[in-house]
Amino acid sequence: MMSTASDSGSGLRAWRAGAAKSIVLDQPRILAILNVTPDSFSDGGTYATPEAVAEAAALALRDGADGLDVGGESTRPGARRVPAAEQIRRIVPAIRAIRSAVGPAPPMSVDTTLAEVAAAALDTGADAINDVSAGTEDARMLDLAARRGAGVILMHRLAPPQQDSYSDRYATPPDYSAGGGVVAVVRQFLADRAAAALAAGIAPEGIVLDPGLGFGKTVDQNLELIARTGELAALGYPILSGASRKSFVGRVSGLGAESSPLQRVHGSVALSVVHWSRGASIFRVHDVPAHAQALRAASAAARACRAGGAVDGDVGACG
């Protein structure tokens, strides 16, 4: 459900993705991943032309996506960095083609850590900024978002892509013990970045927090973040889930270390449903139909469960 900003004062919680667009969070909401990159870990090279990505965007919205997330630089472990000019060359025609195909209404975020790229995307038709560095890589990012009335997704990561590894392949696992464990460290980082966004002038309702599943976390650390999402949601902002097709999903699905991203769809859906039950509300995914159907079913079952009063005497078990 997308509403204008004027509609979002109904008492329902909403993410203000842009100055005139909000996504009401009365049920799980989906952002469809549209990477116009040759080297993303799962869909690199899939959308080789603006026409292809526009067709995919229209299909994703038809299949249940509530918004779109367009990226021009891979953030997979080991990926080479892409200069701002090249990111802009990739994303501007894509965003223009998407807007021509689907119109101005669907909320759209741009996945970038560079303010120059974000500004070009906003000029072309994007509404929000999805920054995997949470505004730490480019000091201009949060100010840009505030000036333009753009919503932000602020993510925790341990290191930039070229210094990271896949969750199930660390030679030396990330150690968060000095900060009280992975949940405590991620929570403090996200709290600090939300505070920085507020200080820059971004409205509270424009902020979404992302624990960064797969970014500098082992398989077990990712699972712990999912299980304890309530501690992150207690900060007062919507939580984004980004488990889709990642290596830790393959490992916990029993597929082994050499599974391909396309084999991880079922596990991704299962973990997304669990993540929703633990407090996540926005899901950035590759496989829109599968996630939309599963999350809608889980949400409907939870509503019926709560209406019934309890499951084995525990209302909290309703999700």
Side-chain angles (χ1 to χ4, degrees), residues 211-230:
L213 300 177
F215 286 80
K217 291 96 176 173
T218 64
V219 173
D220 288 341
Q221 287 165 348
N222 287 310
L223 295 178
E224 184 177 1
L225 281 165
I226 291 173
R228 297 171 60 186
T229 296

Side-chain angles (χ1 to χ4, degrees), residues 238-256:
I239 301 299
L240 183 139
S241 176
S244 184
R245 297 186 182 179
K246 289 182 176 174
S247 62
F248 81 94
V249 176
R251 182 56 63 94
V252 301
S253 301
L255 296 177

